[in-house]
């Protein structure tokens, strides 16, 4: 029993060290400029993603995975393979497929439209203008952490904050955490990122 207590204490202090690992950046404008420059130089992105959904509805985090594609301007393919769900965005055109079938109901279309705006903002770097979010900048030895707080009250009702982890080495997005409330959040981790590769426009219009 004593051994177990010592392990719990050690784990508690380890978690606190991790949580305190980030500190405010010394030059916010320099970090912002570096990330903006990377976005300007990036014409396309492909990556694998894993997903963890934390909710009061589940005893344990729910896992998912898939692949996404981004191409300037305003083209996104979000292929959630574990859920057989696909979102195609090409300019103003937004399509949602579930199990290979197009979903046309108004409620789903409204949600997908909201997702469209957020995804384009995150992938294109538009969020950096702080029009829709106020941004806090932190860093540790490996990453920059940008904490986005919605300015729009309607958005704030379903999204309290978004945390983005950018690799200091590549300036690419490694992780995105979308938090609704203390116990409700989704964490996306991105791997195998490749930039500026040729992607056919049809990738964003057809399954």
């Amino acid at each position: 029993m004593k051994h177990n207590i010592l392990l719990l204490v050690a784990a508690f202090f380890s978690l606190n060290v991790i949580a305190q690992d980030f500190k405010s950046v010394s030059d916010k404008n320099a970090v912002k400029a570096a990330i903006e420059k990377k976005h300007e130089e990036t014409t396309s992105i492909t990556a694998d993603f894993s997903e963890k959904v934390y909710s009061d509805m589940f005893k344990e985090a729910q896992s998912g995975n898939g692949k996404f594609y981004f191409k300037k301007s305003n083209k996104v393919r979000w292929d959630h393979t574990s859920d057989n769900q696909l979102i195609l965005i090409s300019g103003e055109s937004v399509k949602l497929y579930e199990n290979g079938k197009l979903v046309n109901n108004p409620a789903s279309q409204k949600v997908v439209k909201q997702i469209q705006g957020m995804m384009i903002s995150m992938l294109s770097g538009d969020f950096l203008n702080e029009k829709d979010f106020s941004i806090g900048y932190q860093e540790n030895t490996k990453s920059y952490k940008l904490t986005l707080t919605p300015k729009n009250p309607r958005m704030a009702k379903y999204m309290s904050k978004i945390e983005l982890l950018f690799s200091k080495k590549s300036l690419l997005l490694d992780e995105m955490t979308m938090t609704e409330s203390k116990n409700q959040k989704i964490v996306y981790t991105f791997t195998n990122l490749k930039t500026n590769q040729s992607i056919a426009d049809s990738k964003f219009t057809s399954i």
Side-chain angles (χ1 to χ4, degrees), residues 149-180:
T149 305
K151 292 181 177 180
N152 187 317
R154 286 189 298 175
M155 182 181 290
K157 286 182 179 180
Y158 65 88
M159 189 71 60
S160 63
K161 66 179 179 180
I162 300 172
E163 292 177 321
L164 306 174
L165 289 186
F166 288 89
S167 163
K168 281 188 170 182
K169 184 177 180 180
S170 67
L171 292 176
L172 293 173
L173 186 63
D174 285 336
E175 186 176 287
M176 176 171 67
T177 301
M178 306 174 73
T179 302
E180 179 182 346

Side-chain angles (χ1 to χ4, degrees), residues 28 31-40 45 70 117-137 144-151 155 162-166 171-173 175-176:
K28 166 188 168 179
V31 175
K32 179 181 177 181
I35 295 175
E36 282 181 328
K37 184 174 184 293
K38 184 65 177 181
H39 277 96
E40 289 170 2
I45 304 172
F70 167 74
M118 188 173 297
M119 291 176 72
I120 293 297
S121 180
M122 295 298 107
L123 293 168
S124 66
D126 287 348
F127 70 91
L128 290 165
N129 62 23
E130 298 200 41
K131 178 182 177 182
D132 298 316
F133 303 94
S134 58
I135 305 177
Y137 289 77
Y144 293 117
K145 180 166 78 170
L146 276 58
T147 302
L148 283 58
T149 305
K151 292 181 177 180
M155 182 181 290
I162 300 172
E163 292 177 321
L164 306 174
L165 289 186
F166 288 89
L171 292 176
L172 293 173
L173 186 63
E175 186 176 287
M176 176 171 67

Side-chain angles (χ1 to χ4, degrees), residues 1 4 6 10 12 16 25 40 49 60 72 76 79 89-90 100 107 114 120 130 137 142 146 151 188 197 200-202:
M1 178 66 72
N4 290 338
L6 288 173
F12 173 80
N16 273 295
V25 300
E40 289 170 2
F49 70 84
E60 297 181 353
K72 286 184 177 177
V76 177
D79 197 347
I89 300 170
S90 181
Q114 292 172 337
I120 293 297
E130 298 200 41
Y137 289 77
K142 294 183 178 180
L146 276 58
K151 292 181 177 180
Y188 294 101
Q197 293 192 325
D201 286 344
S202 59

Side-chain angles (χ1 to χ4, degrees), residues 175-200:
E175 186 176 287
M176 176 171 67
T177 301
M178 306 174 73
T179 302
E180 179 182 346
S181 62
K182 183 179 179 181
N183 299 319
Q184 306 269 127
K185 66 180 181 180
I186 304 175
V187 181
Y188 294 101
T189 303
F190 302 100
T191 55
N192 300 322
L193 283 94
K194 298 176 182 178
T195 61
N196 299 339
Q197 293 192 325
S198 178
I199 306 175

